[in-house]
Amino acid sequence: MLNSWVVAPTCLPLVLRRCHTCASERFRANGKFRVNAHHKLIDAWLLVLCTGCGETAKLTVLERMNVRSVRPELLDRLHANDLGLTAELLQDPVLRRRNHIALDWAGAWRLDTGESDHLDREVIDISVRFAAPIPVRPVRLIAEGCRLSRAEVERLIAEGKLVSAVRLSGKLSSDFTFTLKR
């Protein structure tokens, strides 16, 4: 029987970017946007606050776009300071690349394993699904979900008792399955 685990976000991740005021490297997104129209052109920014000094920085969302080329739903969400739009934009690789930022997901996700009765079985097949593209080490997920130490998980991989079609070293942010044989 295949068990399902879900890696789900619990809050917005921190934005990694250097503050020009206090040299801190972490910003918190609070879902606020600034929209500025200049004749027929529009600019939009996602506002983020420095965790060290509270200084506001702007992440470019739209830059000198013709107002008619922007979807009306997007404009409505920007004007309403939609928190869901903030989450979507932070996960957009184009926005991250344009603004030279990275995300810090530490403490911003949880692993839902469902019932824990499957841990007693000899062979466990588990499917891990990501609700958002959160980069996490599979070894950490498996250790947390199976209530093992990371060293024990590494030993099981080395012995061939923990197998997967994907590489379990490094970080993953996409769905995968694994089998654990005790």
Side-chain angles (χ1 to χ4, degrees):
M1 184 173 131
L2 185 68
N3 294 296
S4 295
W5 293 357
V6 178
V7 178
T10 56
C11 60
L12 292 174
L14 292 177
V15 175
L16 297 176
R17 175 182 174 172
R18 191 164 184 86
C19 179
H20 298 295
T21 305
C22 72
S24 172
E25 295 187 359
R26 299 200 180 327
F27 284 80
R28 181 178 33 85
N30 60 358
K32 303 286 186 204
F33 292 93
R34 176 160 185 234
V35 180
N36 187 22
H38 186 71
H39 299 289
K40 294 181 181 180
L41 301 177
I42 192 167
D43 294 313
W45 299 276
L46 171 62
L47 303 179
V48 292
L49 302 172
C50 176
T51 58
C53 66
E55 184 71 21
T56 301
K58 299 186 292 189
L59 304 179
T60 302
V61 176
L62 300 174
E63 188 171 36
R64 298 287 180 214
M65 298 268 308
N66 191 313
V67 175
R68 292 179 187 246
S69 66
V70 179
R71 294 185 330 269
E73 314 84 59
L74 177 60
L75 279 176
D76 291 342
R77 291 177 78 187
L78 287 169
H79 288 298
N81 291 322
D82 186 355
L83 198 57
L85 179 62
T86 301
E88 291 172 26
L89 290 173
L90 285 177
Q91 294 173 13
D92 182 14
V94 174
L95 181 117
R96 290 196 315 253
R97 192 170 36 257
R98 178 191 302 152
N99 290 285
H100 308 290
I101 63 169
L103 300 179
D104 179 9
W105 283 97
W109 60 272
R110 74 174 182 278
L111 177 64
D112 294 328
T113 59
E115 313 89 41
S116 60
D117 63 342
H118 64 275
L119 297 177
D120 301 337
R121 293 194 210 128
E122 194 67 31
V123 177
I124 307 168
D125 291 320
I126 297 180
S127 168
V128 180
R129 189 178 62 79
F130 287 80
I134 303 168
V136 182
R137 296 187 186 282
V139 171
R140 178 178 178 190
L141 288 178
I142 296 167
E144 185 177 322
C146 293
R147 298 185 192 117
L148 301 170
S149 68
R150 290 188 203 173
E152 179 71 13
V153 172
E154 294 284 352
R155 186 184 62 74
L156 291 169
I157 292 171
E159 292 176 357
K161 293 183 177 181
L162 180 64
V163 293
S164 178
V166 298
R167 192 179 56 151
L168 296 175
S169 61
K171 290 187 176 185
L172 285 177
S173 59
S174 58
D175 301 351
F176 69 98
T177 58
F178 68 91
T179 302
L180 174 63
K181 302 170 193 165
R182 296 197 182 214

